Amino acid sequence: MAPVLHAVEQCMGYDYVVLLQPTSPLRTVEDIDGCIQKALVSDGGFCVSVVEPSHSPYWMYKVENDRLIPLLSQEELIARRQDLAQVGSLNGAVYVGEIRKLLESKSFLTENTLAFFMEPQKSVDIDDASDFEYCEFLLNKRNKKRVPQ
């Protein structure tokens, strides 16, 4: 966050900042534009890209002394995935923030931050060589669809 705040302080005169991390190369122009548009129409001034996780945190537990303790409390265990609350996991692809509010909060993540959902295939974050290879595979697959045969 410090590099973003430093850049914003050095380049005054803008209303919004968009952070695009290089480890998320599969986002598209439509994803970036969609996230920006959502931030522009919100009162909160922030929007970040997320992906629906493959496993809900409502079904996750921490383990203490071999006992399962729910990460999120629920009045009753929800057995059907369709009945769970919608959740989003940060995918690191797009962060949009109104500069005035960003300088106040020092974070893109506030109680007013909106979620922009992206597809899992575009939410791959490169952390190691296997992630890089998977991204190459997805990019090649995407490019084959675009080329007329």
Side-chain angles (χ1 to χ4, degrees):
M1 192 65 215
V4 173
L5 293 172
H6 175 74
V8 164
E9 290 167 354
Q10 298 304 308
C11 301
M12 299 304 254
Y14 295 94
D15 295 326
Y16 284 82
V17 64
V18 178
L19 172 62
L20 305 174
Q21 297 190 115
T23 54
S24 301
L26 300 179
R27 68 183 156 249
T28 62
V29 170
E30 293 80 16
D31 297 322
I32 298 167
D33 287 348
C35 200
I36 291 170
Q37 185 61 35
K38 209 165 187 181
L40 290 175
V41 299
S42 78
D43 290 338
F46 294 98
C47 185
V48 299
S49 59
V50 297
V51 63
E52 188 174 351
S54 59
H55 296 87
S56 174
Y58 287 99
W59 288 348
M60 292 184 184
Y61 298 82
K62 59 184 175 179
V63 178
E64 291 180 3
N65 298 323
D66 287 337
R67 289 189 169 42
L68 294 176
I69 299 166
L71 281 179
L72 300 175
S73 63
Q74 302 177 59
E75 289 184 25
E76 62 183 65
L77 182 64
I78 299 172
R80 290 178 2 114
R81 177 184 51 81
Q82 297 85 347
D83 297 332
L84 294 170
Q86 184 181 31
V87 295
S89 176
L90 295 174
N91 67 1
V94 185
Y95 295 83
V96 180
E98 187 177 349
I99 289 177
R100 179 180 55 82
K101 293 179 180 183
L102 184 66
L103 290 172
E104 290 171 10
S105 67
K106 308 280 190 252
S107 176
F108 287 98
L109 302 172
T110 71
E111 62 188 26
N112 297 314
T113 301
L114 298 179
F116 178 81
F117 278 88
M118 288 177 50
E119 298 170 23
Q121 300 84 352
K122 297 192 294 182
S123 297
V124 177
D125 194 39
I126 298 177
D127 291 321
D128 57 34
S130 63
D131 293 337
F132 185 84
E133 290 171 0
Y134 183 54
C135 280
E136 279 187 318
F137 167 78
L138 291 173
L139 280 172
N140 287 332
K141 186 176 174 182
R142 184 191 299 174
N143 289 336
K144 283 182 183 177
K145 287 182 180 180
R146 290 184 184 164
V147 176
Q149 307 256 340

